[in-house]
Structures are given as C-alpha cells and as structure tokens.
Amino acid sequence: MFDESVTLKHWTNPPSPPPWPCAQVHIWRIQLDDPPAPLASLVQILSPDEAERASRFYFERDRRRFIVCRAALRTILGSYGGVEPAAVRFCYGPQGKPALLAPTSLTSLQFNVAHSHELALIAVVADRRVGVDIEHIRGLEDADGIASRFFSPAECAALRAIPEERRLWGFFSCWTRKEAYIKARGEGLSIPLDAFTVSLEADARSLLLQGYNDDTDRWRLRPLLVGPDYVAALAVEGFELDLQTWQYRGGNQ
C-alpha cells in the first residue's frame, strides 16, 4: 500500500530549450543549497521587489534559498520562449497566486512553485491550472491534533489505519495532496481543507479526490517522489497529461 517505488521517476536533464508543454506537465526540481551561479549574479536577474524581499531574510540560508528559487523560476519560464530571465514579469491573483504578466509570448503558461528545506519544485503547463506542493518529513508535536482540525473525517480514519512508523509519511502525504489542489484552484483558504478528501494511497497514476463543489472529477492528483525524507504532490486540471520530471542545473542546463 505504501511502496514509494511505484512513484519513482528519474529526474533527468531537460532538453534545451524545453518543448512547449501543450500536452505535458513539466516538473522541475531545484536544489536550493547548490546555486548554479554566484548569488550576486542571480540577484541581478530578480526584480527590485524580489531583491528587496531577499534582503529582509534574517538567516543567510533562507535568503540564499529564496534567491535561488526565484532566479530558477525566471530562468525556467524564460527558457520556453527564449526570453531573458530578467524580462519575465508576474502578476498576482486575489489570493496571491502568481501568473505571468509579460512577455505576452509566455502568458499562456501556467505554473506553480513549492519549496521545503533544501528542495523546490516548479510545475509548468499550458492553458490549464496547476498546483504543486512539497514537504520535508519532520517530527511534529501534535500531528493528530493538526489532522483533526484540517483533515476530513475520512482522511483522519485513513491516517489512523497507517502503521505508526509510517504515520508521519501519511500525514505529510495528505497535507501536500490537499495543498496542491488548493494551490491549483488559486482560491486560497476560501476552500476549507476539510471540505474535500484525498486518497492516502501511494498510487503512481491517480489519487482519489472527492467532495468540493462536485467538480473534482476534472482534476488529476498525483504523488511525486522527489527524494529521501520528502513527499510531494501535483494537481492539474483536465485529462491525464504526460508527466516530465527534470533536474534544474542552471541557465545552460
């Protein structure tokens, strides 16, 4: 039931340039503690507000990870149209979900970003909504209490049925799957987390999603195996698409 090997994907070097993702979902994995270039050069491609935000981080580790992630996002999105990373511009929805504002050649791309500890994921697709989430598995003081507050009754029951040594995996798997769906919809916490149910099965192709506005059959939810001590999930609108998983290595890939 919880054999993670069934979700194993080989993170390969991407083609350069990457193909337009009209019938694919592209997932890029970024090593946040292994910058592809000196931080000073990465800061140069950030917008002024991003650079200012980076300067406000108290810990150097968090500042570095933010810069690497934002620079990677700009570089990846720009690579789909031969656009310089610094020329990529964003806008934000009512609940804060980012979208591409410019250049217009890229604005049909939809994307989502998630990061935890040393890893980040960027999901890219064309003309449909997408969400991704990742969590570093770590000890929690009150995982049962958090689950009872935010998980549906069916999810809580499924979590209790997991052997104790795997329960943290189950908790974070449930959390990332719910967050990926919330992020894909772009409606933030206006969707209560306990208003819908996801499966905790470690199934590579699809996961059960039930209960919110009766439109959950239009979404595909998949787990992603990204590395030891991590769990991640992807939610994408529409029919099942070909999933490509790539390791980001910098501007030249």
Side-chain angles (χ1 to χ4, degrees):
M1 179 178 180
F2 300 107
D3 180 7
E4 291 177 352
S5 66
V6 299
T7 63
L8 181 61
K9 300 290 287 186
H10 184 51
W11 296 84
T12 60
N13 291 333
S16 182
W20 193 259
C22 55
Q24 296 179 330
V25 184
H26 298 166
I27 310 293
W28 301 73
R29 184 176 64 171
I30 299 99
Q31 301 279 358
L32 297 178
D33 288 346
D34 185 21
L39 282 186
S41 65
L42 296 181
V43 170
Q44 295 302 310
I45 69 176
L46 302 186
S47 66
D49 63 298
E50 289 170 331
E52 195 277 330
R53 181 179 170 187
S55 71
R56 297 201 304 267
F57 282 97
Y58 184 81
F59 293 107
E60 175 61 23
R61 174 199 63 197
D62 297 330
R63 175 178 175 271
R64 179 184 67 248
R65 290 175 177 175
F66 174 81
I67 292 170
V68 172
C69 188
R70 294 302 292 192
L73 175 63
R74 289 176 163 276
T75 302
I76 288 168
L77 294 176
S79 70
Y80 285 92
V83 175
E84 289 296 320
V88 174
R89 295 176 57 197
F90 302 103
C91 57
Y92 297 87
Q95 300 296 329
K97 185 177 183 180
L100 278 161
L101 179 64
T104 55
S105 61
L106 298 179
T107 53
S108 64
L109 290 179
Q110 300 275 334
F111 67 93
N112 200 235
V113 184
H115 54 84
S116 181
H117 197 49
E118 299 177 354
L119 291 180
L121 296 176
I122 296 174
V124 184
V125 70
D127 298 314
R128 64 189 71 210
R129 290 176 289 178
V130 67
V132 69
D133 197 51
I134 181 174
E135 286 286 348
H136 181 243
I137 299 176
R138 59 200 181 276
L140 292 176
E141 291 184 2
D142 189 21
D144 290 340
I146 297 171
S148 64
R149 181 179 178 187
F150 293 107
F151 292 178
S152 73
E155 290 165 342
C156 289
L159 189 61
R160 290 192 296 269
I162 297 176
E164 186 173 355
E165 66 273 13
R166 295 285 286 165
R167 203 160 292 161
L168 268 179
W169 174 90
F171 175 90
F172 284 112
S173 293
C174 187
W175 188 270
T176 56
R177 293 166 189 186
K178 295 174 82 68
E179 282 290 319
Y181 174 63
I182 289 285
K183 293 174 71 178
R185 292 187 63 109
E187 299 172 39
L189 293 180
S190 63
I191 303 176
L193 285 175
D194 61 357
F196 62 95
T197 296
V198 301
S199 170
L200 271 65
E201 295 284 346
D203 173 53
R205 299 302 302 171
S206 62
L207 294 161
L208 183 66
L209 177 62
Q210 294 180 328
Y212 188 76
N213 284 355
D214 296 325
D215 72 341
T216 50
D217 59 346
R218 69 191 290 183
W219 296 90
R220 297 296 179 266
L221 186 63
R222 292 182 62 170
L224 302 167
L225 185 62
V226 297
D229 301 321
Y230 287 88
V231 292
L234 169 76
V236 63
E237 186 178 30
F239 297 106
E240 184 73 17
L241 301 179
D242 181 33
L243 181 62
Q244 299 293 317
T245 54
W246 292 328
Q247 179 67 44
Y248 176 73
R249 302 187 188 281
N252 294 327
Q253 297 303 312

